[in-house]
Amino acid sequence: MIRIYNTLTQQKEEFRPIEPGKVRIYVCGMTVYDYCHLGHARVLVAFDVVTRYLRHRGFEVNYVRNITDIDDKILRRAEENGEPYNELTGRMIQAMHEDEARLGVLSPNEEPRATAYIDEIIAMIHKLIHGGHAYAADNGDVYFAVDSFDGYGKLSKKKLDDLLAGARVDVQEAKRSPADFALWKAAKAGEVSWPSPWGDGRPGWHIECSAMSTSCLGDTFDIHGGGPDLLFPHHENEIAQSECATGHTFVNTWMHAGAIRVNKEKMSKSLGNFFTIREIMETYPAEVVRYFLVSSHYRSQVDYSEENLAEAGRTLTRLYHALRGIVPAKAADVPETEHDRRFAEAMDDDFNTAGAIAVLHAVANEINQHRRDGSEEEAKRSAAVLVRLGSVLGLLQQNPEAFFQGGAGGELSADNIEALIQARADARKAKDFAEADRIRDQLAEKGVILDDSREGTSWRRA
């Protein structure tokens, strides 16, 4: 039995999909006006693990993650750059796909873009107006009337009266109430727009996700996810407009990833502690970054620091050390073990990846013990278990040598390193131990660690 913490009810609940054996999940994706940052990585990796595990448990998963490719921020950035908005979004979408591929994030089943769903957005707005839940203002905008939906605030636990207290309407807006939000925005002169019954314009941000999710997954689906900053107002507004338009419950289970902090402070450009995914991966291997993110429960707050990344690298290295120099048995030849059961027990408890990773380290210890005992076949069987369980978390799928030798950066090429190792071996053979030590120190200064064993010398990047 899988239990998931539902933000809507604020408790863990037994997960029962609408259609037995099948899961429909929608996650709010990126607004593509800039490179993805560490907070985006948290959401990408968290829901990648969720979908991987659901599939591991035998569910057929239809995972939809949207792209917001029209938005105020996009138009402002395109104007600043002096480029068409769709050229900007095209570059950023390509960069996002590159980042997620390096992080081992699998592609969603569908990746709808807002600009491809304008007709569906207009149709939903029309339903809302017809049902008395929205209104066209004199300035060409269309607004959702928040007071027309009795359940407003049920996700965020905010009360409408509290939201209205002290709220003001911008003088340029034509809202009836300060809490109302835009479904359609009238186009400004020279701005990209689409024709609609209310005049040329473009969709508001909230309505985009409602139209895309229901078009792809139906009026009601199993799981809706996103980052912590989306709970209010974005997801609250999605519920209101979707349920008013369809007359059905929008989503059964709401999931939200935890926030990212940098050295115990909120990540912010103004504080100078804002990091993009690609900036981080210039220093740390992508799998180390993924391990860092996976090692904490998806709902917990994660503190990014150089020390925490370095520790993630060290602990992931220990797992790869257990696999180094061993060919795992064929997975089909290794039935489920007690480790598999404990792994599932952790993941069934609201995708407790921290507990699941503890199981990986227990398997690694078992491999090391088998090798010390000379039980190579047992070590190979345990290695197969480690690789199998690691795959559910998107970890340990590299050849160990590729992991150790393919770290981020590095002044010396693999050929240079191998040549120096050979020179060191020649010096040791000639009993010139001072030269051998000098070469080892030279490599260490360049971030290359040597491991001597009876089989020879292997190396890894620090």
Side-chain angles (χ1 to χ4, degrees):
M1 180 180 69
I2 297 175
R3 293 175 62 80
I4 302 175
Y5 182 86
N6 188 349
T7 310
L8 183 66
T9 62
Q10 297 187 338
Q11 62 184 8
K12 291 181 186 178
E13 300 173 340
E14 180 182 349
F15 177 61
R16 295 179 178 176
I18 297 166
E19 189 175 353
K22 297 183 178 181
V23 180
R24 287 174 284 164
I25 178 171
Y26 181 91
V27 171
C28 288
M30 309 307 130
T31 300
V32 285
Y33 70 99
D34 206 342
Y35 293 111
C36 294
H37 56 66
L38 188 60
H40 295 141
R42 181 85 200 279
V43 174
L44 288 169
V45 171
F47 288 100
D48 180 62
V49 169
V50 168
T51 54
R52 282 174 182 263
Y53 184 66
L54 291 172
R55 287 171 178 146
H56 175 72
R57 285 294 306 271
F59 289 99
E60 180 184 325
V61 180
N62 185 5
Y63 176 32
V64 178
R65 191 186 69 222
N66 78 293
I67 293 175
T68 296
D69 62 345
I70 186 68
D71 169 87
D72 290 341
K73 293 178 181 177
I74 291 171
L75 296 180
R76 281 198 298 269
R77 182 61 57 84
E79 184 177 2
E80 291 169 4
N81 293 352
E83 64 179 326
Y85 87 96
N86 53 353
E87 288 188 9
L88 168 65
T89 58
R91 285 192 296 106
M92 292 300 104
I93 290 170
Q94 180 179 344
M96 177 187 72
H97 288 158
E98 292 169 355
D99 290 343
E100 65 187 21
R102 290 183 65 188
L103 283 171
V105 173
L106 303 177
S107 299
N109 296 87
E110 295 184 71
E111 196 172 51
R113 303 185 186 187
T115 55
Y117 282 77
I118 299 297
D119 290 345
E120 290 82 355
I121 291 168
I122 290 173
M124 182 170 274
I125 295 172
H126 182 76
K127 280 185 180 180
L128 291 169
I129 292 175
H130 183 72
H133 298 289
Y135 56 93
D138 293 340
N139 63 353
D141 291 348
V142 179
Y143 293 97
F144 181 86
V146 168
D147 61 4
S148 73
F149 180 56
D150 290 338
Y152 194 81
K154 62 183 178 180
L155 180 67
S156 61
K157 313 308 177 202
K158 295 180 182 292
K159 298 183 183 301
L160 184 55
D161 289 345
D162 294 338
L163 294 172
L164 292 174
R168 297 181 180 179
V169 177
D170 190 291
V171 294
Q172 296 180 333
E173 295 178 319
K175 298 179 182 180
R176 295 175 183 170
S177 168
D180 295 349
F181 56 88
L183 301 173
W184 188 259
K185 297 184 177 183
K188 299 174 184 176
E191 195 174 68
V192 61
S193 64
W194 290 263
S196 82
W198 318 286
D200 291 352
R202 57 187 174 81
W205 175 37
H206 310 302
I207 194 70
E208 294 175 352
C209 279
S210 287
M212 286 185 283
S213 62
T214 55
S215 294
C216 294
L217 298 174
D219 290 351
T220 305
F221 51 93
D222 299 296
I223 298 173
H224 193 316
D229 55 324
L230 299 183
L231 196 155
F232 184 87
H234 184 55
H235 289 162
E236 194 73 71
N237 291 351
E238 278 191 69
I239 290 174
Q241 63 203 7
S242 300
E243 296 190 357
C244 287
T246 68
H248 299 119
T249 297
F250 180 39
V251 174
N252 287 343
T253 301
W254 286 87
M255 299 177 65
H256 292 89
I260 290 282
R261 291 171 65 84
V262 178
N263 293 319
K264 297 183 169 48
E265 291 186 309
K266 181 180 178 181
M267 187 173 70
S268 168
K269 287 184 178 180
S270 62
L271 294 174
N273 63 358
F274 182 88
F275 298 101
T276 66
I277 296 172
R278 50 191 51 206
E279 284 173 339
I280 295 169
M281 290 192 295
E282 286 176 2
T283 305
Y284 295 94
E287 191 171 353
V288 170
V289 178
R290 183 182 178 100
Y291 183 91
F292 164 72
L293 295 170
V294 170
S295 59
S296 297
H297 190 277
Y298 76 91
R299 284 193 288 116
S300 67
Q301 184 172 273
V302 170
D303 188 43
Y304 172 85
S305 68
E306 295 290 324
E307 180 182 344
N308 289 344
L309 259 291
E311 177 59 24
R314 288 190 290 270
T315 52
L316 180 60
T317 295
R318 286 199 289 272
L319 293 176
Y320 267 111
H321 260 305
L323 294 171
R324 198 171 197 179
I326 189 170
V327 178
K330 291 182 180 179
D333 296 337
V334 183
E336 286 195 357
T337 66
E338 177 64 15
H339 294 301
D340 291 270
R341 189 194 65 76
R342 288 179 52 226
F343 183 91
E345 187 178 76
M347 292 295 286
D348 282 352
D349 183 15
D350 194 30
F351 308 101
N352 179 6
T353 52
I357 281 183
V359 176
L360 299 189
H361 284 282
V363 181
N365 291 339
E366 184 178 270
I367 294 169
N368 294 333
Q369 186 60 53
H370 286 318
R371 298 178 87 169
R372 286 192 293 270
D373 295 342
S375 305
E376 286 300 316
E377 291 306 312
E378 288 301 317
K380 290 179 180 180
R381 291 169 64 84
S382 295
V385 175
L386 182 55
V387 172
R388 176 168 68 206
L389 297 181
S391 70
V392 181
L393 303 180
L395 300 170
L396 304 175
Q397 302 307 292
Q398 294 186 68
N399 180 293
E401 294 307 313
F403 170 79
F404 286 120
Q405 299 176 8
E411 295 180 38
L412 298 175
S413 69
D415 287 343
N416 293 150
I417 295 168
E418 293 290 354
L420 286 168
I421 289 174
Q422 184 58 53
R424 176 174 175 265
D426 292 342
R428 294 176 75 185
K429 188 175 181 180
K431 300 190 183 304
D432 188 351
F433 298 113
E435 174 63 8
D437 289 344
R438 186 195 66 78
I439 294 173
R440 174 187 279 276
D441 293 343
Q442 177 188 351
L443 288 167
E445 288 174 4
K446 301 294 185 182
V448 178
I449 308 301
L450 302 185
D451 296 313
D452 294 318
S453 68
R454 286 178 297 178
E455 289 76 28
T457 300
S458 58
W459 61 273
R460 56 188 170 90
R461 296 192 191 276

